[in-house]
């Protein structure tokens, strides 16, 4: 076992947690407040990729209603490409297989979604989901599809029910689509629309009005955040959603390179937003979330103001149970690669960080162990109702001598060191300021980063060249290139620096720019500003050079949070490659709990997962967290509950990989721990 929880009760005794159904939307000021707690539900992506059918989706929805709804799981979401025909030649980034209506809008593939025939869209599916007591969600991509652009379909004016007209002419897809801003990781699929034009806005209005008419309650908007930031589209879609007569929860994806500074530009416009690349069932993916979760909590982004309610940093779905593979044309066919301890670690971090909980496994093959994990009442209590959630720094840890020896030997053999990557962040970030130009020859200039990367290196520089118009179309759209340059690693100009990856990254993959054959696309266009920032034309984000580690995250970590009944939650995590003793003093807990004083005490402990009784323990919260056998480094969670105001202690050493401890209050006034 690698996961343990410690709950500290201050004033009231609680022997068990009975989680009432959590509804993420409550009423306030006569309107529905969206996402009052982190949204919870099921998404088809991890188990079906893009291939899910109506029958498969409704089978899963029915089981969510029967088994998970009582535990607060209320959304069921169809992930991407529900409009793509599942035929030979179709795959994630194929072109020409999508079903669109006369206005260039995506509609469900009638072969996979037979109830959509006759122009019904998702109306029938949404009705069935609502009859199950659930809410219905869909995934959508940025802007307009390449297929609609190539067909040059007219734009619908929802006010007149006919083609949009302005300045005496009818507007079409090629008037609003910006093919230079095609989604970096789905080049053949979708592109941004011109939100500065009335026609571009009319197209987006027609999309979201249609979703509301279908009965959609949740929209996951992809390729608009992180490296793919499209703030103009996010802002206008958010405005449209406030004007609809149906509350729709607004979610953003993906979160590659997302930062708190970037999130501050969008959190008030949305309800949840991804903060990493895709999370799949590998320990390396899971471990990358520790630093990200810490940073967003420290920036007070958890539960900040959102669209018609609150907003939540999203650590991505829980890939447990029966799954498919990333980018696959095949449905669920394999078990989760994470062992049980790793899964406990993941859901414990997600719960302490108050991330939305979206289960991704096939509900038709939900085993009892996975079911108990995702419905653990203590975890769900923390996820929904805890406050003051943050990484807890007041811990000490020590590795065994054998572990230190092995670790040093591994580092020496692997040559682990720092390296430098191109990072993207909000242009408001001071760290993005530091680019300048220098002349190499009369007609040759470089763009250079302000700092040396090491004492032995010169500043990092790239060669620049102004964009030359190559076609009549580029002359027409000259404003897209005013003041923009391309950047090259050498004087040769065959390969240009692109900011965003041309594939969808997982959480474990480093984010970096890459040199690719020069193409006419915004991803390879840059603008050097007078304040020293270097802005990418695709995302509007600014570049900086960051230091990254080759090796995976390691060390001991801890999180702390306050419960709604006065209890305190503490979680210990071991990211080291061996046994680690993690400790904290009870008095140090008060440093993270302003206004609370904790006195030394004793308590009786029982382990939550196994029910093992540890008897009376004293003084110190201290656990030996071990790593289970396996080829990957595994993490251990310690989470405990204490009655603060009485002496609350933990064993000097718990010889287990992890324990869950609740500390309550005995009638005789003696502190009692219920593990």
């Amino acid at each position: 076992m690698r996961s343990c929880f410690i709950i500290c009760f201050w004033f009231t005794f609680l022997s068990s947690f009975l989680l009432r159904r959590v509804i993420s939307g409550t009423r306030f000021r006569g309107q529905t407040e969206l996402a009052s707690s982190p949204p919870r539900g099921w998404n088809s992506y991890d188990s079906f990729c893009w291939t899910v059918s109506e029958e498969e989706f409704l089978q899963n929805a029915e089981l969510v209603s029967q088994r998970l709804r009582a535990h607060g799981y209320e959304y069921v979401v169809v992930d991407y490409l529900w409009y793509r025909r599942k035929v030979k030649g179709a795959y994630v980034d194929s072109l020409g297989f999508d079903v669109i209506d006369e206005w260039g809008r995506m509609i469900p593939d009638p072969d996979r979604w037979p109830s959509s025939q006759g122009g019904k869209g998702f109306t029938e599916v949404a009705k069935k989901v609502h009859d199950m007591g659930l809410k219905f969600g869909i995934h959508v991509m940025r802007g307009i599809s390449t297929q609609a652009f190539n067909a040059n379909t007219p734009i619908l004016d929802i006010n007149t029910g006919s083609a949009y007209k302005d300045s005496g002419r009818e507007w079409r897809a090629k008037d609003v689509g910006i093919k230079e801003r095609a989604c970096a990781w789905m080049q053949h699929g979708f592109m941004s629309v011109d939100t500065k034009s009335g026609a571009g806005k009319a197209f987006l209005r027609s999309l979201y009005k249609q979703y509301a008419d279908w009965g959609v309650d949740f929209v996951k908007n992809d390729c608009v955040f992180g490296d793919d930031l499209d703030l103009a589209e996010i802002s206008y879609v958010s405005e449209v959603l406030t004007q609809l007569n149906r509350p729709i929860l607004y979610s953003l994806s993906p979160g590659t390179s997302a930062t708190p500074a970037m999130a501050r530009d969008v959190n008030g416009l949305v309800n949840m937003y991804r903060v990493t690349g895709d999370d799949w069932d590998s320990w390396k993916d899971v471990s990358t979330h520790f630093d990200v979760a810490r940073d967003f909590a420290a920036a007070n982004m958890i539960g900040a103001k959102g669209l018609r309610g609150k907003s939540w940093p999203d650590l991505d779905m829980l890939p447990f149970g029966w799954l498919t593979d990333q980018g696959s044309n095949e449905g669920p066919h394999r078990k989760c690669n994470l062992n049980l301890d790793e899964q406990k670690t993941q859901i414990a971090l997600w719960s302490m960080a108050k991330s939305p909980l979206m289960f991704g496994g096939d509900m038709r093959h939900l085993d009892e162990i996975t079911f108990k994990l995702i419905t653990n009442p203590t975890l769900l209590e923390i996820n929904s109702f805890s406050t003051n959630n943050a990484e807890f720094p007041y811990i000490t840890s020590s590795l065994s001598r054998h572990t230190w020896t092995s670790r040093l030997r591994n580092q020496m053999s692997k040559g682990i060191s720092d390296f430098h990557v191109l990072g993207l962040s909000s242009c408001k970030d001071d760290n993005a300021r530091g680019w300048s130009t220098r002349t190499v020859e009369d007609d040759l200039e470089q763009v250079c980063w302000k700092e040396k990367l090491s004492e032995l290196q010169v500043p990092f520089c790239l060669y620049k060249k102004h964009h030359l118009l190559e076609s009549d179309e580029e002359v027409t759209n000259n404003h897209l290139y005013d003041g923009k340059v391309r950047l090259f690693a050498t004087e040769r100009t065959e390969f240009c620096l692109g900011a965003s990856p041309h594939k969808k990254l997982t959480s474990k993959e480093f984010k970096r720019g890459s040199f690719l054959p020069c193409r006419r696309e915004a991803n390879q266009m840059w603008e050097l500003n007078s304040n020293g920032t270097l802005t990418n034309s695709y995302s509007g984000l600014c570049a900086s050079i960051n230091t990254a580690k080759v090796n995976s995250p390691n060390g001991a970590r801890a999180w702390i949070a306050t419960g709604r009944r006065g209890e305190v939650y503490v979680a210990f995590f071991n990211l080291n490659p061996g046994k680690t003793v993690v400790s904290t003093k009870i008095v140090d807990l008060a440093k993270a709990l302003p206004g609370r004083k904790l006195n030394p005490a004793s308590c009786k402990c029982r382990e939550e997962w196994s029910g093992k009784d540890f008897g009376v323990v004293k003084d110190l919260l201290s656990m030996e967290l071990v790593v289970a056998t396996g080829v990957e480094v595994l993490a251990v969670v310690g989470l405990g509950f204490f009655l603060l105001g009485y002496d609350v202690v933990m064993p000097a050493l718990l010889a287990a990989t992890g324990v869950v401890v609740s500390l309550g209050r005995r009638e005789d006034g003696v502190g009692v721990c219920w593990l």
Side-chain angles (χ1 to χ4, degrees):
M1 177 171 38
R2 270 181 227 173
S3 176
C4 56
F5 302 102
I6 308 164
I7 307 176
C8 313
F9 292 100
W10 218 314
F11 302 115
T12 58
F13 172 77
L14 184 65
S15 60
S16 64
F17 286 97
L18 299 176
L19 182 73
R20 299 189 183 98
R21 184 182 173 204
V22 178
I23 304 298
S24 64
T26 57
R27 304 291 296 183
F28 82 112
R29 299 177 186 173
Q31 295 182 337
T32 298
E33 180 187 15
L34 294 176
S36 56
S37 61
R40 195 175 298 164
W42 178 86
N43 181 291
S44 64
Y45 180 68
D46 286 349
S47 46
F48 292 93
C49 192
W50 65 275
T51 66
V52 67
S53 68
E54 180 173 339
E55 180 181 14
E56 292 165 330
F57 178 78
L58 290 175
Q59 287 172 348
N60 274 270
E62 183 65 39
L63 291 167
V64 171
S65 177
Q66 293 173 4
R67 305 194 65 186
L68 299 183
R69 184 166 66 98
H71 301 277
Y73 290 81
E74 58 176 334
Y75 291 98
V76 286
V77 181
V78 182
D79 213 271
Y80 71 159
L81 304 183
W82 37 266
Y83 34 81
R84 184 150 299 173
R85 295 188 183 277
K86 190 181 177 184
V87 296
K88 185 178 180 180
Y91 60 97
V92 169
D93 195 25
S94 56
L95 177 61
F97 297 94
D98 295 340
V99 184
I100 60 176
D101 67 9
E102 61 181 308
W103 306 109
R105 301 176 300 182
M106 316 312 297
I107 55 177
D109 169 22
D111 292 331
R112 285 195 287 146
W113 303 88
S115 71
S116 68
Q117 297 179 21
K120 295 180 181 178
F122 276 125
T123 303
E124 294 298 319
V125 172
K127 183 179 184 303
K128 290 179 180 179
V129 167
H130 295 154
D131 289 343
M132 298 175 192
L134 300 173
K135 296 179 180 179
F136 176 62
I138 61 173
H139 172 289
V140 300
M141 291 292 294
R142 71 156 57 200
I144 192 169
S145 73
T146 304
Q147 193 163 318
F149 182 90
N150 291 342
N152 203 22
T153 53
I155 305 299
L156 173 65
D157 185 340
I158 61 173
N159 296 315
T160 65
S162 58
Y164 180 86
K165 294 181 180 180
D166 189 23
S167 302
R169 70 181 183 92
E170 183 179 287
W171 289 65
R172 291 180 170 267
K174 288 189 175 181
D175 296 317
V176 302
I178 308 174
K179 68 177 184 179
E180 293 82 9
R181 295 191 64 199
C183 177
W185 47 267
M186 196 185 284
Q187 291 278 317
H188 299 104
F190 292 82
M191 65 187 73
S192 292
V193 296
D194 182 5
T195 55
K196 295 180 181 179
S197 71
K201 292 179 178 179
F203 179 75
L204 292 176
R205 281 197 304 270
S206 72
L207 288 182
Y208 286 85
K209 176 63 164 58
Q210 178 173 256
Y211 303 151
D213 291 343
W214 286 346
V216 170
D217 306 293
F218 180 112
V219 170
K220 176 183 175 182
N221 195 4
D222 209 344
C223 203
V224 294
F225 192 54
D227 281 344
D228 307 295
L229 182 67
D230 192 334
L231 187 56
E233 179 168 328
I234 294 169
S235 299
Y236 188 68
V237 168
S238 182
E239 179 182 333
V240 170
L241 292 177
T242 62
Q243 298 168 356
L244 298 175
N245 59 5
R246 179 179 193 83
I248 296 179
L249 189 147
Y250 191 23
S251 170
L252 303 183
S253 182
T256 313
S257 298
T259 63
M262 189 189 306
R264 289 191 185 97
D265 291 333
V266 304
N267 70 278
L269 304 172
V270 304
N271 302 110
M272 51 189 276
Y273 50 91
R274 283 270 300 282
V275 293
T276 67
D278 284 359
D279 175 71
W280 278 92
D281 52 327
S282 77
W283 172 245
K284 289 183 179 179
D285 273 358
V286 175
S287 65
T288 60
H289 289 75
F290 281 88
D291 287 350
V292 174
R294 174 201 63 205
D295 293 345
F296 279 83
N300 297 316
M301 301 305 294
I302 297 176
K305 181 181 178 181
L307 175 65
R308 288 183 171 181
K310 295 181 179 180
S311 63
W312 307 91
D314 178 13
L315 299 180
D316 202 11
M317 291 170 281
L318 298 168
F320 302 161
W322 202 245
L323 308 171
T324 187
D325 297 303
Q326 184 183 26
S328 174
N329 280 15
E330 186 179 0
H333 60 276
R334 65 175 181 85
K335 293 181 179 179
C336 172
N337 288 320
L338 297 171
N339 64 37
L340 181 58
D341 291 330
E342 292 170 320
Q343 293 177 55
K344 288 178 178 179
T345 296
Q346 180 169 358
I347 196 170
L349 177 63
W350 266 233
S351 298
M352 291 294 286
K354 301 200 72 170
S355 169
L357 298 181
M358 292 289 177
F359 177 57
D362 186 355
M363 288 293 300
R364 300 170 302 177
H365 297 277
L366 179 61
D367 60 275
E368 193 63 20
I369 292 176
T370 303
F371 171 74
K372 289 182 178 179
L373 184 61
I374 64 175
T375 61
N376 182 287
T378 300
L379 289 169
L380 299 187
E381 171 76 18
I382 295 168
N383 181 250
S384 292
F385 302 113
S386 62
T387 56
N388 304 313
N389 306 68
E391 188 171 84
F392 179 66
Y394 304 106
I395 59 172
T396 59
S397 63
S398 59
L399 291 165
S400 68
R401 179 180 178 183
H402 170 75
T403 301
W404 276 113
T405 303
S406 300
R407 185 177 174 187
L408 289 171
R409 186 183 299 118
N410 289 338
Q411 289 184 343
M412 292 175 65
S413 65
K414 295 179 181 179
I416 291 175
S417 62
D418 296 349
F419 67 100
H420 305 280
V421 298
L422 175 73
L424 294 172
S425 65
S426 169
C427 294
K428 299 176 184 178
D429 192 339
D430 290 339
N431 293 330
R433 300 178 182 179
W435 296 93
S436 61
T437 59
R438 71 178 185 181
T439 301
V440 181
E441 297 176 3
D442 290 342
D443 59 346
L444 188 62
E445 288 186 320
Q446 290 182 325
V447 175
C448 300
W449 182 241
K450 61 183 177 181
E451 298 174 349
K452 294 181 179 180
L453 302 184
S454 76
E455 291 300 322
L456 301 178
Q457 291 180 319
V458 297
F460 174 77
C461 294
L462 297 166
Y463 290 89
K464 80 170 186 175
K465 185 176 181 180
H466 288 279
H467 178 74
L468 297 178
L469 302 179
E470 300 169 354
S471 67
D472 292 340
E473 183 179 0
E474 286 187 299
V475 172
T476 302
N477 297 313
N478 188 26
H479 67 281
L480 297 175
Y481 303 99
D482 288 344
K484 309 297 193 302
V485 297
R486 285 172 169 166
L487 299 175
F488 311 91
T490 66
E491 296 181 42
R492 299 179 62 185
T493 58
E494 292 91 347
F495 294 92
C496 294
L497 176 65
S500 299
H502 279 192
K503 69 170 186 173
K504 198 171 187 180
L505 298 182
T506 66
S507 302
K508 66 186 175 186
E509 295 177 286
F510 283 108
K511 293 79 70 177
R512 67 191 75 176
S514 57
F515 289 92
L516 297 171
C518 294
R519 297 194 296 188
R520 182 168 50 84
E521 61 176 34
N523 193 31
Q524 294 183 355
M525 301 302 297
W526 301 84
E527 181 175 9
L528 181 62
N529 304 298
S530 60
N531 65 353
T533 56
L534 184 64
T535 306
N536 180 251
S537 298
Y538 169 65
S539 63
L541 297 172
C542 284
S544 61
I545 302 298
N546 302 319
T547 301
K549 296 282 187 182
V550 175
N551 54 322
S552 299
N554 53 37
R557 302 291 184 92
W559 273 69
I560 193 167
T562 304
R564 56 176 169 166
R565 298 174 179 85
E567 71 272 24
V568 173
Y569 304 90
V570 180
F572 289 161
F573 300 85
N574 175 25
L575 305 187
N576 288 314
K579 294 181 181 181
T580 300
V581 178
V582 185
S583 307
T584 188
K585 297 178 180 179
I586 297 301
V587 293
D588 286 338
L589 295 178
K591 295 178 181 178
L593 304 170
R596 294 194 178 188
K597 294 182 179 180
L598 306 180
N599 299 315
S602 63
C603 61
K604 186 177 181 181
C605 298
R606 181 174 62 84
E607 200 267 320
E608 182 79 6
W609 297 116
S610 68
K612 180 180 178 181
D613 189 348
F614 287 92
V616 177
V617 292
K618 296 183 178 180
D619 268 345
L620 193 65
L621 274 173
S622 184
M623 301 181 188
E624 183 180 51
L625 306 180
V626 304
V627 178
T629 57
V631 296
E632 292 188 312
V633 176
L634 308 177
V636 184
V637 187
L639 175 60
F641 306 109
F642 302 92
L643 174 57
L644 305 183
Y646 290 86
D647 290 341
V648 180
V649 295
M650 281 292 295
L653 178 66
L654 292 181
T657 54
V659 293
V660 178
V661 186
S662 357
L663 288 83
R665 174 180 180 178
R666 275 181 21 186
E667 291 183 359
D668 59 7
V670 179
V672 180
C673 303
W674 301 86
L675 269 113

